[in-house]
Amino acid sequence: METFKDKVAFITGGASGAGFGQAQVFGQAGCRIVIADIRQDALDEALAKLRAEGIESHAIRLDISDRQAYAAAADEVESVFGGPPQLLFNTAGVNSFGPLEKATYEDFDWIFGVNLHGVVNGIQTFLPRMIDSGRDGHIVTTASMAGFEGSPTAAIYSATKAAVINLMESYALTLPKYGIGVSVLCPASIRSNIADAQQTRPAHLAANSGFRSDEAFIELQRRLYSGGMDPVVLAGHVKQAVENEELYILPFPETKDGVRAHFDTILDAFADPDSDREGAEQRARAFAAYRAEAARTAAAAG
Ligand code: NAI
């Protein structure tokens, strides 16, 4: 994407942390900004700051796990700005930590509901409208370095982020033909309010949790995230990736060796190629025939 001037950018989690940084950076670059967030007080504060910076902006209270509310938010964007966004930032996310074997269904439902289904809802809501508009666009989803590897205490969070990375890789294979770029942001640590994510947990999913939410643990997390990357600096990496149409946004080089070690472990686990060369060649021929036939039938179906 070459210019951001007057483009509408819809940013979930836009009232805080990474999302607010994106609102500032893309707003300064000329975008008209919509911040969507579950917390009205945070939205009011963020909107006032954006407008004080001279950024044309609008705020919508939205729980991204609510599909009906998401459709209403999309209608609101169209009535305020005259069309769907060209930039969609799926940035809102929550975390919660504790031993995986103590996790409850409510822990799974909350974290999957926001971090994975919230992303799905955003894309399902806006993508058809973006395609119909015929304009160029870009979708950026915030995953996490946690999505590259399992974790004993952030397991549900990691699973959602792994799913999101994989999903965006698939969209990157399918959306460029519509002029829509795709990026996935994988941060390691952001100076944000995510330590207090529990405050956004809906009451019906808060009653029963196997994870830690005591004040001492939350305070420990606040200290951790206070040393994270400035959200404006992080959003600068995102802007560069959107300009250059890059899929992976990996602004934390200090995590690279760990990722390499993890993927090396996976690569080392492969069976010896000499163990079944003939079978492998047969399977490769079957896959090639399948792909050719699938491409022929897809072309015939239009
Ligand atoms: P943050 O807590 O400062 O911002 C997240 C925002 O999302 C908050 O304003 C919150 O109200 C909103 N939100 C929560 N649930 C929502 C829902 N159901 N509907 C709409 N809005 C909702 O946290 P941060 O760190 O800026 O998080 C942004 C993204 O970055 C998340 O996806 C997170 O998983 C990811 N991330 C954060 C890292 C960190 O170190 N803070 C590291 C890696 C990834």
Side-chain angles (χ1 to χ4, degrees):
M1 185 171 275
E2 283 166 13
T3 170
F4 297 108
K5 182 105 184 64
D6 293 332
K7 288 189 172 150
V8 175
F10 186 93
I11 305 170
T12 71
S16 175
F20 185 64
Q22 291 162 354
Q24 289 177 292
V25 166
F26 283 85
Q28 294 295 353
C31 285
R32 295 178 289 167
I33 300 293
V34 184
I35 49 172
D37 204 287
I38 199 169
R39 293 178 301 131
Q40 187 65 54
D41 53 344
L43 276 175
D44 294 342
E45 205 180 308
L47 189 65
K49 280 189 197 155
L50 291 174
R51 288 184 173 164
E53 289 179 26
I55 294 168
E56 187 178 346
S57 38
H58 180 75
I60 300 178
R61 188 182 174 278
L62 171 67
D63 177 350
I64 59 168
S65 64
D66 179 340
R67 286 181 190 163
Q68 263 97 45
Y70 222 131
D75 291 343
E76 187 173 328
V77 174
E78 293 196 14
S79 78
V80 172
F81 289 114
Q86 280 170 276
L87 287 146
L88 168 62
F89 295 88
N90 295 303
T91 306
V94 294
N95 69 8
S96 188
F97 298 111
L100 177 56
E101 64 278 17
K102 297 279 169 60
T104 61
Y105 278 121
E106 287 81 357
D107 292 322
F108 276 95
D109 287 348
W110 177 48
I111 300 168
F112 271 84
V114 179
N115 293 4
L116 178 56
H117 299 154
V119 171
V120 170
N121 293 343
I123 297 176
Q124 288 289 98
T125 303
F126 280 121
L127 184 56
R129 298 174 190 234
M130 290 169 79
I131 292 173
D132 282 352
S133 78
R135 296 177 302 175
D136 65 330
H138 204 103
I139 300 176
V140 180
T141 297
T142 299
S144 168
M145 290 307 300
F148 289 116
E149 200 171 351
S151 155
T153 55
I156 303 176
Y157 180 82
S158 290
T160 63
K161 297 302 187 178
V164 154
I165 293 169
N166 190 283
L167 192 60
M168 298 317 288
E169 286 174 339
S170 297
Y171 279 120
L173 296 172
T174 55
L175 296 190
K177 62 177 176 283
Y178 301 104
I180 298 174
V182 175
S183 300
V184 61
L185 169 65
C186 299
S189 172
I190 310 167
R191 196 185 309 150
S192 77
N193 296 305
I194 202 161
D196 289 292
Q198 294 288 343
Q199 287 174 17
T200 62
R201 187 165 170 152
H204 73 284
L205 296 177
N208 183 25
S209 173
F211 285 175
R212 283 191 72 179
S213 60
D214 54 284
E215 187 51 33
F217 184 59
I218 288 172
E219 185 49 36
L220 188 66
Q221 287 202 327
R222 285 189 194 119
R223 283 208 295 277
L224 170 70
Y225 294 116
S226 69
M229 187 179 280
D230 181 333
V232 168
V233 174
L234 185 64
H237 288 276
V238 174
K239 181 167 166 282
Q240 206 181 339
V242 175
E243 283 164 345
N244 298 330
E245 303 282 345
E246 288 161 357
L247 171 58
Y248 300 105
I249 314 175
L250 300 163
F252 296 81
E254 69 274 22
T255 61
K256 189 172 178 177
D257 286 346
V259 173
R260 183 179 285 120
H262 180 65
F263 282 106
D264 279 348
T265 306
I266 296 172
L267 293 173
D268 290 347
F270 275 92
D272 181 347
D274 287 332
S275 64
D276 184 19
R277 274 207 191 275
E278 207 178 309
E281 279 163 15
Q282 237 171 44
R283 290 188 292 275
R285 281 196 295 275
F287 268 116
Y290 165 80
R291 280 199 205 96
E293 184 58 22
R296 258 197 303 280
T297 53

